[in-house]
Amino acid sequence: MAGRNLYMRFSCSTGDAMGMNMISKGVQNVLDYLQDDFPDMDVISISGNFCSDKKPAAVNWIEGRGKSVVCEAVIKEEIVKKVLKTNVQSLVELNVIKNLAGSAVAGALGGFNAHASNIVTAIFIATGQDPAQNVESSQCITMLEAVNDGKDLHISVTMPSIEVGTVGGGTQLASQSACLDLLGVKGANRESPGSNARLLATVVAGGVLAGELSLLSALAAGQLVKSHMKYNRSSRDMSKAASLSS
């Protein structure tokens, strides 16, 4: 309630669809039904932003929206040292200072991570999701701690509002459909409705976990800028290439 206004939040099961359009149709029917019982009720809008869609909001962080996923892994000390080129204690300290305290200093809302949005948006575009919904789908808290007497690393990502579907919308496009097929989640699962969409959400979270581990390791090892300069820059002299082509 806010004064004379009532904001309602509907919770629905939508199978393997992301479900926005399905829910909108259902809510419209509910509002029509309520209008018959309460003829003096004014419906201002079918959406009152309490959803909250395509906007960062505490309500999605607390209550969830779409799929809520926790993904975790234990990385052995040997892998941390040989592959990631750092150590467990440095990663744990970095996560606290950067992802947790640093995000708090910035007044972040659900942004207690290194770069979850990079992975979420890439997978969304590749699998035909709504790229604009990366806003709430990228809400993520990354946690790191030392385990097994401090030798190994436990990493987890908690993502309360991943919005994905495997039917409808952009999932029907050829390339996006092929990606969903490659992941084994294309279309609707008729034996267990909704399981394909749930599996896709876990794929997103798994990708985010891997991305978090990679970037945090690069930062801890002081390799971020060096790797960018090596792999993200053309070695060709583009001014010469442009003059030759003209």
Side-chain angles (χ1 to χ4, degrees):
M1 293 289 295
R4 299 175 63 193
N5 302 319
L6 174 66
Y7 295 83
M8 293 185 287
R9 186 172 164 101
F10 289 78
S11 179
C12 314
S13 296
T14 59
D16 287 299
M18 193 280 289
M20 280 284 291
N21 291 336
M22 295 169 66
I23 293 172
S24 294
K25 293 174 184 176
V27 169
Q28 184 63 60
N29 287 330
V30 171
L31 293 176
D32 292 343
Y33 177 84
L34 289 174
Q35 193 80 70
D36 289 338
D37 277 5
F38 304 96
D40 59 340
M41 177 183 75
D42 292 325
V43 178
I44 305 301
S45 170
I46 193 172
S47 171
N49 269 16
F50 191 37
C51 334
S52 170
D53 185 47
K54 302 182 179 74
K55 291 165 284 290
V59 68
N60 290 335
W61 179 255
I62 296 167
E63 293 191 6
R65 176 174 162 87
K67 309 292 185 285
S68 298
V69 184
V70 177
C71 183
E72 59 182 341
V74 174
I75 313 299
K76 292 294 184 180
E77 179 184 32
E78 181 183 10
I79 299 299
V80 173
K81 289 182 176 179
K82 291 186 177 180
V83 178
L84 302 178
K85 313 297 184 186
T86 183
N87 60 77
V88 172
Q89 187 55 44
S90 293
L91 285 171
V92 172
E93 181 183 29
L94 172 64
N95 188 65
V96 171
I97 293 174
K98 171 184 165 62
N99 285 346
L100 305 184
S103 296
V105 169
L109 180 62
F112 295 87
N113 59 80
H115 68 147
S117 180
N118 271 336
I119 290 85
V120 171
T121 307
I123 297 177
F124 270 31
I125 292 171
T127 59
Q129 310 307 308
D130 185 340
Q133 288 182 326
N134 86 86
V135 176
E136 61 268 44
S137 297
S138 296
Q139 292 194 134
C140 168
I141 185 167
T142 300
M143 302 288 284
L144 272 66
E145 61 179 300
V147 294
N148 301 329
D149 296 323
K151 291 182 179 180
D152 304 327
L153 178 74
H154 181 279
I155 179 173
S156 68
V157 293
T158 301
M159 306 180 70
S161 48
I162 301 176
E163 296 171 319
V164 290
T166 57
V167 296
T171 66
Q172 301 172 82
L173 298 170
S175 296
Q176 283 71 13
S177 178
C179 283
L180 290 169
D181 195 29
L182 189 67
L183 294 171
V185 296
K186 179 182 176 181
N189 190 314
R190 302 193 181 282
E191 288 73 33
S192 179
S195 61
N196 282 357
R198 287 193 295 273
L199 181 54
L200 179 56
T202 64
V203 168
V204 172
V208 167
L209 184 144
E212 291 291 278
L213 184 62
S214 177
L215 178 55
L216 289 172
S217 298
L219 289 168
Q223 296 291 321
L224 181 66
V225 175
K226 185 178 178 181
S227 61
H228 264 281
M229 296 307 293
K230 182 176 181 180
Y231 297 110
N232 199 33
R233 296 291 183 271
S234 174
S235 59
R236 296 176 61 193
D237 187 331
M238 297 311 294
S239 60
K240 290 182 179 179
S243 62
L244 287 173
S245 62
S246 61

